[in-house]
Amino acid sequence: MRLYLASTSPARLATLRAAGIEPIVVHSNVDEDAAVAAAGPLAPEEMVLLLARLKAEAVLGPDVDGLVLGGDSAFELDGAVYGKPHTAPVARERWQLQRGREGQLHSGHWLVDHRGGSVRGAAGAVSSAFVRFADITDAEIEAYIATGEPLQVAGAFTIDSLGAAFISEVRGDPHAVVGVSVATVRLLALEFGIEWPALWNRAL
């Protein structure tokens, strides 16, 4: 059973590989900003699930034979939703706001059963976790931004790379913070009668 990953996130890929799965990575090319604008006001959970679905659906085709997984993440702090900062000034502003505090990371998952090259079913779910940040210094913020890592990740932080030292606590599914909850994907696959070991195709 092949799993197609409609995401180019290195963290999602590494997490699936560590769980015994070597997915086929396919870029979805979804315009996330346009999709969210067209949808109108959405709760964070609704937004990440919508984008996960659009990414999965964007890569479907007759040559895709297996399960297709789309994913998206967003960080919520004080009721505001934050995606990728993209620029250093925005990342700096985010970290000055969130250091020493706690927010919630939401990761949406959309799994399409595309065995045989056509849609046989689809299911989605959101996994969330609370993240508490250390009260890091201005110098640490500047050094982290200079690496470029926080510019292209939701919430301007990672838990599986350089940003890990700046996170003091996670409550909930830790893989949700990475961007793909393997426990959630397992449950979605079970909805199609597919047990998790059927997806193992990578030697550990």
Side-chain angles (χ1 to χ4, degrees):
M1 177 70 62
R2 296 312 305 264
L3 178 70
Y4 295 79
L5 177 61
S7 169
T8 55
S9 163
R12 290 191 181 101
L13 177 59
T15 299
L16 290 171
R17 283 176 168 171
I21 299 172
E22 185 65 51
I24 299 173
V25 177
V26 189
H27 198 297
S28 63
N29 293 311
V30 170
D31 187 332
E32 299 180 26
D33 292 337
V36 171
L42 296 171
E45 297 91 339
E46 295 173 325
M47 183 186 74
V48 295
L49 194 59
L50 168 67
L51 293 176
R53 176 176 62 81
L54 292 178
K55 291 175 183 179
E57 293 175 346
V59 306
L60 299 179
D63 296 331
V64 175
D65 186 357
L67 300 182
V68 180
L69 176 64
D72 190 75
S73 299
F75 182 64
E76 183 181 4
L77 183 69
D78 294 335
V81 181
Y82 300 99
K84 302 171 184 176
H86 296 298
T87 67
V90 174
R92 182 178 301 107
E93 181 181 1
R94 301 266 183 90
W95 267 100
Q96 289 172 343
L97 179 65
Q98 66 198 29
R99 61 181 168 185
R101 304 181 63 203
E102 181 179 86
Q104 192 170 19
L105 197 291
H106 305 283
S107 284
H109 307 73
W110 194 264
L111 193 67
V112 180
D113 182 354
H114 209 258
R115 287 174 289 178
S118 62
V119 177
R120 301 175 57 175
V126 176
S127 180
S128 302
F130 289 94
V131 180
R132 177 165 293 279
F133 300 98
D135 191 10
I136 66 176
T137 67
D138 288 344
E140 287 175 314
I141 290 175
E142 292 304 322
Y144 186 37
I145 291 172
T147 68
E149 180 181 273
L151 306 187
Q152 299 301 323
V153 288
F157 69 91
T158 66
I159 193 174
D160 59 322
S161 190
L162 300 177
F166 307 137
I167 295 174
S168 58
E169 182 183 5
V170 173
R171 292 186 291 111
D173 185 345
H175 285 145
V177 185
V178 179
V180 58
S181 164
V182 291
T184 298
V185 178
R186 171 185 167 270
L187 292 177
L188 293 176
L190 280 174
E191 294 192 28
F192 309 137
I194 300 171
E195 295 189 346
W196 187 250
L199 295 172
W200 289 341
N201 64 345
R202 178 181 172 84
L204 299 180

